[in-house]
Amino acid sequence: MSEEAGSASAGMTADGTPPGCADVPGAGMSADAAPPGGAPEGAGPQQRTTDITAGPGGVMTDEVGVVTGELTLCTEYADGQVTLHVQYKDADEWYVVTGGKVPLADPAGLDAVHAIAVALLDRPEG
C-alpha cells in the first residue's frame, strides 16, 4: 500500500479501496472477527469497523488531508501492523489516518486498538 501523496493510487488498490477494508459487512458496528472470506481468527488480515462522526478539525489523512462529518473507521491488522483507515460513510474510497500505522505483536490486541481509535476520533458533540 503506497502512502505517497499525489500518486495515481494514493494508497489505494485499483478500485480505490485499501486491501481488507473493502466490502465491510455491517459497517457501523464491529465487523466479524474474520475478514470477508471467513479466514479463521489469527490467519490473514483482520479488521474492525465502526461509523463515527469526526470532531472539530476532522480526521487528518495521508491522501487528502482533513475529512469531516460522518465517517466509517476501519482498523485493520495485517503482517504485524495495525492501520487505521477512514472513508466518508457509504463512499468507496478509503484513506489512511495520518499517524494511524503502528506495529502490533499480538493480533489479540486489535479490539483494544480499535476501541481506543473510536474513543479518540468519534466526537459527535465536539
Side-chain angles (χ1 to χ4, degrees):
M1 192 180 320
S2 170
E3 289 183 33
E4 185 176 331
S7 71
S9 65
M12 306 302 157
T13 59
D15 68 356
T17 55
C21 289
D23 301 323
V24 177
M29 55 194 117
S30 292
D32 297 331
E41 187 147 351
Q46 299 176 47
Q47 63 191 21
R48 306 292 183 268
T49 60
T50 301
D51 287 345
I52 64 171
T53 301
V59 175
M60 180 62 78
T61 68
D62 291 347
E63 296 83 6
V64 296
V66 175
V67 293
T68 61
E70 293 185 14
L71 307 171
T72 300
L73 171 69
C74 176
T75 306
E76 180 181 38
Y77 175 84
D79 300 324
Q81 180 170 310
V82 170
T83 305
L84 302 178
H85 303 272
V86 291
Q87 72 175 171
Y88 288 104
K89 189 172 177 189
D90 299 323
D92 293 329
E93 298 82 20
W94 288 91
Y95 309 109
V96 175
V97 174
T98 299
K101 288 187 175 189
V102 64
L104 183 66
D106 186 351
L110 180 61
D111 287 330
V113 172
H114 183 71
I116 291 168
V118 169
L120 290 170
L121 298 175
D122 186 28
R123 305 302 231 185
E125 297 179 23

